Amino acid sequence: MVFLPDEARSLPPPSLLNTSSVWLGLTGWFAALLDNGFNHRPVIRAGVHRQILFTTVGWVAGYYLSKRMEYMHAKVDRELFEYVRHHPEDFKTAGM
C-alpha cells in the first residue's frame, strides 16, 4: 500500500478517539450540513444518512492520517537515533 508501508504495521495503532479523527469527522458532518443548506433542504433534519456517512468517512480518514503521521514521526526518530549512534563524537554528554 502506498499510503502506509508494511513497516508501519510494527507500530501500535493510534487511539480511535484522536484529534485527527474528531476534526475530520466534524468536518464531514459540517460538509453534509452545508450540502443540505446549498440544496435548500432542512439543514439538520434532511439527509441524516448522508450526515452519518460523511462523518464516518471523515472519522476513518482522520484515523488513517493519524496512523500515517505516527509512522512518519517514528521514521524520523529512527533515522535521528541511527545518526546519533553512528556519530557519537558529535553528541558527547556533559559528564565526560
Side-chain angles (χ1 to χ4, degrees), residues 14-56:
S15 170
L16 286 176
L17 185 64
N18 59 56
T19 55
S20 300
S21 293
V22 171
W23 280 109
L24 287 177
L26 287 173
T27 302
W29 179 64
F30 189 67
L33 294 181
L34 283 176
D35 181 51
N36 285 342
F38 288 144
N39 290 316
H40 303 291
R41 293 187 292 247
V43 176
I44 299 286
R45 294 177 308 170
V48 175
H49 63 285
R50 194 177 316 108
Q51 293 176 27
I52 293 170
L53 174 70
F54 283 20
T55 303
T56 304

Side-chain angles (χ1 to χ4, degrees), residues 17-96:
L17 185 64
N18 59 56
T19 55
S20 300
S21 293
V22 171
W23 280 109
L24 287 177
L26 287 173
T27 302
W29 179 64
F30 189 67
L33 294 181
L34 283 176
D35 181 51
N36 285 342
F38 288 144
N39 290 316
H40 303 291
R41 293 187 292 247
V43 176
I44 299 286
R45 294 177 308 170
V48 175
H49 63 285
R50 194 177 316 108
Q51 293 176 27
I52 293 170
L53 174 70
F54 283 20
T55 303
T56 304
V57 168
W59 195 277
V60 170
Y63 177 78
Y64 280 103
L65 284 174
S66 180
K67 276 181 86 164
R68 171 101 174 140
M69 182 178 59
E70 286 183 8
Y71 164 71
M72 297 301 286
H73 288 152
K75 183 179 167 185
V76 168
D77 287 347
R78 183 186 66 211
E79 292 169 355
L80 192 63
F81 287 133
E82 199 61 27
Y83 181 81
V84 169
R85 189 171 68 84
H86 286 302
H87 299 88
E89 66 276 358
D90 293 339
F91 302 96
K92 296 184 187 216
T93 58
M96 293 181 103

